[in-house]
Amino acid sequence: MTPFSAWPDPRPAGLAPTTASAPYAGELRKLIVAHKEEARYALARPLGAVLAAAVREALGSCGPVWLCPVPSARSTVRQRGHDPLRRITRAALRVLRRQGIDARPASALIVVRRPDDQAGLPAERRTANLAGAFAARSRWAERLTDQPVLVVDDVITTGSTLAEACRALESGGIPVLGCAVLAATRRRRPSGS
């Protein structure tokens, strides 16, 4: 897998530069879904390695990094029986540390309003649906000031979720260096068509 810049079209306002490890297809898609929806916990380790590749590419030559996963609603975590992205992020942190990268977890975001299900919504509706869904935890603002922070997620589709996460952190005084994701969906048709 070769990480690549993953800019959705159209790109939502406030979305920081995003790096994906691979397209959301084939075996990677199956692994993500199995881990997330079927609670196949052991898949966190290989998925963490995939996320770590995107983080390394997004980080470039910057020094230490804080990884801030996009939060899930508590009810979603209860329903699934686990928090897939946190599990994958922890695995990615272990990989990065073994590679000599000073990477740390930052639980700097919380869900303050549960949005409607995003499935099937067009890009502009997804953005409106997520507006104000996340907030930065104030206790993290001072710790993360002037620190490189990457927002991490499993998949980028329209970029609305990541843009809302970036907005929440920035409005809480936490600058965002970029975003890193396991995979990026392919657009079926370019904007304007």
Side-chain angles (χ1 to χ4, degrees), residues 46 65 67 150 161 191:
V65 64
L67 300 187
L150 289 177
T161 302
S191 65

Side-chain angles (χ1 to χ4, degrees), residues 49-64:
V50 172
L51 181 58
V55 168
R56 278 191 314 274
E57 183 70 22
L59 192 55
S61 62
C62 289

